[in-house]
Amino acid sequence: MTKPAFSRAEPDARRQSLIEATARVLARDGATGASVRPIAVEAGVSPGLINHYFAGIDALIAATYSWVGEQVGNALAAAVAAAGSDPRARLTAYVTASFAPPIADRALLATWIAFWSLTGKPQIAERHDAIYARYREDLEALLAECGIAPADRRLTAIAITALVDGLWLELCLSPDSFTADEARSLAERQLGSALSCREDRDCPQEPADEERSADA
């Protein structure tokens, strides 16, 4: 079957078709596919059309990172909304949503790893930082709802983010030896430890201003 021609498509539709084609190429070929010609072939357009809509291949990949990140964000938001009003249930839903479709997906993993491998490029690095900053901001807000003190939220969010990334990688790479239920159980255990900080205050904390000055 021939791919559809986009000569008469509206500009936004053309641009979106290029972004989605880029995501498919990165999922299939990894970072080695991050060039104009294979993306143009995948989209069924001439290579010149890419430069018409984007200021180079890095800009297209950065836009694709944003779009894929938005899809992940939507899945996380849906999980939180479905969890109801209990703060701990909302936090748990946000963290463990990464261990179920559509986030626990080998194609998404391949695309995400391609993005990671291209963060040496400034435009892509900037988009990466923005996506992860938004994830941690949402996580910190959920931690706040659970009563985690302001001084503890940033490092707790960083620790949970690192845990989620690691469990997500292992689950997508080795689903036959590591299950989604096991990933959820490990994540919930870590969340339980973080939430216990409200009682015993034995948590990672931000360095005091004096310590920062001494280390500078």
Side-chain angles (χ1 to χ4, degrees):
M1 175 182 285
T2 60
K3 290 185 171 63
F6 291 95
S7 59
R8 293 191 177 91
E10 292 296 326
D12 287 349
R14 285 186 181 181
R15 190 177 188 278
Q16 183 60 30
S17 73
L18 292 171
I19 288 172
E20 293 180 17
T22 302
R24 292 193 299 272
V25 170
L26 292 175
R28 185 184 66 229
D29 302 333
T32 59
S35 59
V36 168
R37 185 166 297 279
I39 292 171
V41 170
E42 180 68 26
V45 302
S46 67
L49 195 66
I50 291 177
N51 291 325
H52 177 75
Y53 284 100
F54 298 92
I57 190 66
D58 289 356
L60 172 55
I61 294 170
T64 304
Y65 202 171
S66 287
W67 178 71
V68 173
E70 183 179 351
Q71 308 313 302
V72 171
N74 289 342
L76 295 172
V80 172
S85 60
D86 179 72
R88 182 159 185 163
R90 286 163 55 81
L91 174 63
T92 300
Y94 187 80
V95 169
T96 60
S98 292
F99 312 136
I103 302 177
D105 177 79
R106 291 180 70 91
L108 176 60
L109 172 66
T111 307
W112 210 260
I113 289 175
F115 291 139
W116 282 347
S117 69
L118 293 166
T119 54
K121 299 176 180 291
Q123 289 184 71
I124 301 167
E126 181 181 354
R127 211 59 57 95
H128 170 85
D129 290 345
I131 290 169
Y132 272 80
R134 176 61 184 272
Y135 181 88
R136 290 192 300 270
E137 286 170 6
D138 290 345
L139 189 51
E140 286 186 48
L142 291 165
L143 288 168
E145 290 179 13
C146 290
I148 298 298
D152 301 327
R153 290 174 200 157
R154 188 183 75 90
L155 291 182
T156 301
I158 289 172
I160 293 171
T161 300
L163 175 71
V164 170
D165 272 347
L167 294 175
W168 177 66
L169 280 168
E170 187 65 25
L171 178 61
C172 291
L173 289 171
S174 306
D176 294 333
S177 60
F178 181 62
T179 69
D181 285 343
E182 289 172 326
R184 282 190 289 269
S185 177
L186 289 170
E188 288 171 6
R189 187 184 307 171
Q190 178 63 31
L191 290 176
S193 177
L195 295 179
S196 71
C197 292
R198 290 178 299 173
E199 286 78 32
D200 59 29
R201 305 295 299 156
D202 184 20
C203 313
Q205 297 187 18
E206 296 282 358
D209 290 341
E210 294 80 1
E211 293 177 18
R212 290 188 183 128
S213 299
D215 292 338

